[in-house]
Amino acid sequence: MRIATHCTEADVAAQHIATARELGMDVAGSLVMAHMAPSPVLAEQARLMESYGAHCVYVTDSGGRLTMDGVRDRIRAYRDVLDPGTQIGIHAHENLSLSVAHSVVAVGYAAQHRPPRPAAPRTPPGEAPQRTGDRPGRVLP
């Protein structure tokens, strides 16, 4: 289960993450609008989600405003503060036509998760396609 909060409000997810864990769910935290918080602030919010029980925390570029350097800096900051067993995810948006590049950069800096999305042309508006020009409806692992 993914539990999302604004990038500076991870504390509001404490009860939701704890309850999901009590129910035996695999929990991912998602810090949306990641461009609005500097890397160290975002990483501290990720650490809070981890402390509440999240197995994975996403850098979520829901505004589609991050550059590749911004993605790199945030993934590095997460890795610096999170336990090595906590997974890192990237949820990139296509607003600047950089979502695939963001995903490649994030994986290069130890992100393990990327939400599965149908390949273009069925990708929802703004979402990162898995592979441009791939067969419609095919989801990659």
Side-chain angles (χ1 to χ4, degrees):
M1 161 170 288
R2 193 172 326 159
I3 297 171
T5 71
H6 186 269
C7 62
T8 60
E9 299 174 352
D11 59 315
V12 302
Q15 180 181 5
H16 302 89
I17 292 172
T19 299
R21 287 295 304 270
E22 288 170 12
L23 294 171
M25 296 180 181
D26 184 31
V27 180
S30 189
L31 293 165
V32 303
M33 303 296 285
H35 70 280
M36 295 184 74
S39 299
V41 171
L42 193 67
E44 180 56 27
Q45 295 296 303
R47 193 196 60 72
L48 286 174
M49 284 190 157
E50 176 189 56
S51 75
Y52 305 146
H55 297 102
C56 175
V57 186
Y58 279 78
V59 171
T60 307
D61 185 25
S62 51
R65 303 247 337 247
L66 286 176
T67 63
M68 291 183 303
D69 288 343
V71 169
R72 179 201 63 217
D73 294 346
R74 284 159 178 79
I75 296 294
R76 279 182 176 169
Y78 273 30
R79 186 46 56 217
D80 288 345
V81 301
L82 297 178
D83 182 271
T86 300
Q87 296 181 346
I88 297 172
I90 179 73
H91 183 110
H93 280 230
E94 188 63 1
N95 304 39
L96 298 175
S97 299
L98 293 173
S99 65
V100 173
H102 286 167
S103 298
V104 170
V105 168
V107 168
Y109 285 95
Q112 296 97 345
H113 284 274
R114 203 178 152 244
R117 295 277 181 250
R122 292 188 186 166
T123 303
E127 296 288 334
Q130 286 289 337
R131 272 196 239 169
T132 303
D134 204 351
R135 292 191 308 272
R138 180 175 175 208
V139 177
L140 302 176

